[in-house]
Amino acid sequence: MEAARRGVEVVLVDEHPVDSALMGLDVPFHFGQRMSGATRNKTRMMEAIAASDERIADAFEAGVDVRLGVSAWGLFSPKPGLRWLTGPVVGLSDGESSWYASFDAAILATGRRDIGLAFPGWELPGVMGVTAAQTLLQRYDALESQRIVILGSGAEATSFAEAAVAAGRTVVAMVEVADALRDAKGCAKLASQGVAVLTGAMVARAAGGSDGVEDVELTGTDGRHLPCDTVVLAIGTAPVIELFDVAGAEIAFMSSRGGHVPLTDTDGRTSIPGLFAAGDCAGITQDKTADPAIAAEEGRRAAAAACSELESGSHASWQALPADGTATDDVEASRSAWIEAAMTVADTETHICQCEEVSIPDLLGVRPPHYLPRDQAPMLARDLASLANDGLVHQDQIKRLTRAGMGPCQGRRCREQVSAVLARATGTPLAKLPLPSYRAPVRPLPLSAFAEDLEPGVVSDNWEGWFGISGQWDPFWTLADGASAEERS
C-alpha cells in the first residue's frame, strides 16, 4: 500500500490459500492434518483469505496486482553461476504452471515457521505447529480441533491460545519445559480463564488412532494424562529465509532475532541490491509477535526506501545493523531445553525426521537410511565424533549421509531440531554451526509445472544432435572392437 501510494507499479504475491494436497505434506507450515474439508474448495478459501484481512481489498482498490494462491519458489540475482542474468528475477507458480518475473525492487515478508519437536507419537494427526494452527483458525476458518494442548509459553503460544478460546475451542493446558514462563502475563490471563498452566513438564507420549491424537502423557507431573485431539507445538519459531539464501544474501545467526536472519540495515535493505526484508523473516521478537503494527511499520519503511531508490535510479549504500544484545528471550537456551527433554523421552522408533524416518540414535550414529546396507565396517565406525575430527559438523553433510531433512517437507519440521541435536552432541553453540543450504525450488512442485507445453520442433526432432555423439544410444556391448574412443565413451 505504501509503494502504491508513491505511484510505483506493485505486484503482491501470497501463496495462501495453499492447495490442500500441499497442506497434507505440511507445506508451508506443519498443519498436522487438522485442516477441515473446506480447504479443498479453493474458491471458498480465496474468499476466506480475502475476508481475513480487509487490507487485501484495499490493495485491489489501490491498483495493486494481487496474486493469491501463488508461491515464490526461487529468487535469483546475478552472482557466480548466474552472471548471465541482467537483473533479479523471481520464480512463481500457481501449482499448475511456472513462470518468471523480473523486478526493480522486492520486499520479502515471508514470515515465520514453527520448530518441530520429536516425542513418541508426534507423527500422529493432530500434532501441529502454532503458526499452522493460527493460520487455519484465523485466515482459513478451517481448524478441525476442539480440545487443544499447547507446548510452549511464549507470545506465539499465548496469542494463539487466546484466539482459540475466543473461537470456542477448549485449551486443556499450556505446557512449558522450563520452570519459568516466557510470557508470564499472557499465561496468567489464560489461567484466569480456566486454562491449566504447567511448568517443568514435557510430553512423554502422545497416544491415539487413525483419527489422530486422543491423549498425551506428561513427564514432571507424576504421569498426568490430558485427553485432547490436538497438540500445538509453540516451543519456538524460525524466520523463513529460504529465498534470501537462494538469492545469495548475507545471513547470520542472531539470538536476539530468533535465529538465522538476513543481515539488514534500518530500512530492511539486504546485501543484495534491491532486495528488502520486513516482518518476521527479518527477525522475530516477543514484542513483534504481540504487536503486528511493528512488522507493518517495517514494511512501510522498506517500501519508502525501495521507492526512493527507484526514483533516484541508484541503490543506497548498505551497512548491516549490529546484533541487538537486548534480547528478552534466549533462543539457544530455549531450543536446547526442549531438545534435551525430547532426547530424554524419544525411543528408537521416534523419528526426528518423519519424511525419511531418521531417529535421534540414527542421527547421532550418522547411520544411513534403513533401505541401504547399514552394517558395513566403515559405516559402523562413523559417528559424530569421527566427523567432528574434520572440523565443525555441517548439517548438509549429515543430510547426505542420513537423509535427515531430505524429504518432501524440505526440512520444515526437522531442520532446527537436527541443528539443536548436533549442537548439544558436539558441544557447539547453535550460532557457530554452519547454516544448512537452501536450494530452489523452495516449495515442492509437480514436474508438469516446469514443462514447456509448446516445445519447438527443432528441439524435439534433434535431441541426439544436441549431444553430438552418434552412437550414444547403442549399448556398449554391441559396438565393434574397432569403435572409436568417442563412441565407447
Side-chain angles (χ1 to χ4, degrees):
M1 292 295 292
E2 178 67 18
R5 185 181 67 79
R6 292 170 177 263
V8 174
E9 182 180 352
V10 182
V11 178
L12 176 64
V13 174
D14 192 326
E15 66 183 325
H16 296 281
V18 179
D19 185 80
S20 60
L22 283 182
M23 285 185 172
L25 293 176
D26 287 329
V27 177
F29 306 133
H30 184 180
F31 289 104
Q33 309 300 321
R34 276 299 176 257
M35 52 281 187
S36 73
T39 58
R40 297 188 181 93
N41 186 330
K42 194 163 186 176
T43 301
R44 180 193 180 282
M45 289 298 98
M46 285 280 191
E47 295 173 350
I49 295 298
S52 68
D53 190 342
E54 62 184 12
R55 291 170 298 181
I56 294 178
D58 294 339
F60 272 113
E61 294 297 324
V64 175
D65 182 359
V66 179
R67 309 282 185 93
L68 299 180
V70 174
S71 63
W73 55 263
L75 196 151
F76 311 97
S77 60
K79 61 179 182 178
L82 290 173
R83 296 295 187 193
W84 52 272
L85 285 177
T86 58
V89 296
V90 59
L92 302 173
S93 177
D94 59 5
E96 296 180 358
S97 59
S98 178
W99 64 96
Y100 295 92
S102 60
F103 56 86
D104 298 309
I107 302 171
L108 301 190
T110 47
R112 65 173 69 190
R113 58 180 174 77
D114 304 310
I115 295 174
L117 187 68
F119 51 82
W122 87 295
E123 73 284 352
L124 287 170
V127 179
M128 66 187 307
V130 67
T131 304
Q134 190 107 34
T135 300
L136 289 177
L137 180 68
Q138 297 187 305
R139 294 197 75 187
Y140 284 73
D141 187 22
L143 178 62
E144 197 85 337
S145 301
Q146 296 302 321
R147 293 180 57 82
I148 303 169
V149 171
I150 300 174
L151 303 191
S153 63
E156 63 275 4
T158 55
S159 62
F160 168 71
E162 290 178 13
V165 170
R169 270 57 167 198
T170 299
V171 177
V172 178
M174 307 276 294
V175 179
E176 171 59 52
V177 72
D179 293 328
L181 298 170
R182 290 169 58 197
D183 180 12
K185 184 178 179 180
C187 288
K189 180 180 178 181
L190 289 163
S192 69
Q193 297 174 318
V195 176
V197 179
L198 309 174
T199 58
M202 168 64 182
V203 174
R205 180 175 298 277
S210 59
D211 292 334
V213 176
E214 298 172 359
D215 173 274
V216 294
E217 178 186 351
L218 302 182
T219 63
T221 58
D222 297 325
R224 182 174 179 176
H225 286 259
L226 301 174
C228 61
D229 59 30
T230 302
V231 178
V232 171
L233 305 180
I235 66 168
T237 53
V240 174
I241 60 169
E242 290 101 319
L243 292 175
F244 293 104
D245 194 38
V246 171
E250 292 184 29
I251 294 170
F253 187 96
M254 294 191 181
S255 186
S256 61
R257 302 184 196 174
H260 283 101
V261 292
L263 299 181
T264 62
D265 66 7
T266 54
D267 293 322
R269 291 183 183 85
T270 70
S271 60
I272 302 295
L275 185 61
F276 295 76
D280 287 339
C281 67
I284 300 171
T285 64
Q286 294 269 33
D287 290 343
K288 193 186 293 187
T289 299
D291 184 7
I294 296 175
E297 180 57 32
E298 290 179 358
R300 279 191 287 270
R301 286 203 308 270
C307 291
S308 295
E309 290 188 0
L310 294 178
E311 291 171 3
S312 66
S314 62
H315 296 294
S317 59
W318 176 78
Q319 183 174 2
L321 289 169
D324 182 4
T326 62
T328 58
D329 189 24
D330 189 333
V331 168
E332 184 154 357
S334 177
R335 289 187 191 177
S336 297
W338 282 106
I339 285 297
E340 184 174 354
M343 294 176 71
T344 301
V345 301
D347 54 32
T348 57
E349 299 302 316
T350 303
H351 298 133
I352 190 170
C353 173
Q354 292 186 26
C355 297
E356 296 295 328
E357 299 185 349
V358 180
S359 68
I360 292 178
D362 286 341
L363 192 71
L364 296 175
V366 197
R367 305 288 283 138
H370 288 275
Y371 49 79
L372 294 178
R374 313 181 88 212
D375 299 328
Q376 300 175 30
M379 293 182 179
L380 294 174
R382 184 178 64 202
D383 58 16
L384 286 182
S386 64
L387 294 184
N389 291 332
D390 298 326
L392 286 175
V393 174
H394 199 301
Q395 192 169 333
D396 281 348
Q397 181 186 28
I398 300 297
K399 178 173 69 173
R400 294 182 182 109
L401 293 172
T402 68
R403 290 192 63 84
M406 204 175 279
C409 89
Q410 298 177 300
R412 291 177 182 84
R413 292 178 298 199
C414 68
R415 173 180 279 251
E416 284 72 29
Q417 289 190 83
V418 171
S419 290
V421 168
L422 295 179
R424 185 176 181 276
T426 60
T428 307
L430 273 177
K432 296 295 185 182
L433 284 181
L435 172 69
S437 60
Y438 290 99
R439 295 183 179 181
V442 300
R443 292 290 183 267
L445 295 170
L447 288 176
S448 58
F450 293 98
E452 175 58 61
D453 293 332
L454 300 175
E455 186 177 79
V458 68
V459 174
S460 57
D461 295 341
N462 193 35
W463 269 108
E464 186 172 309
W466 292 104
F467 299 95
I469 304 174
S470 59
Q472 63 177 314
W473 308 120
D474 299 326
F476 70 89
W477 57 84
T478 65
L479 296 176
D481 292 338
S484 68
E486 179 187 47
E487 289 176 323
R488 290 191 178 279
S489 67

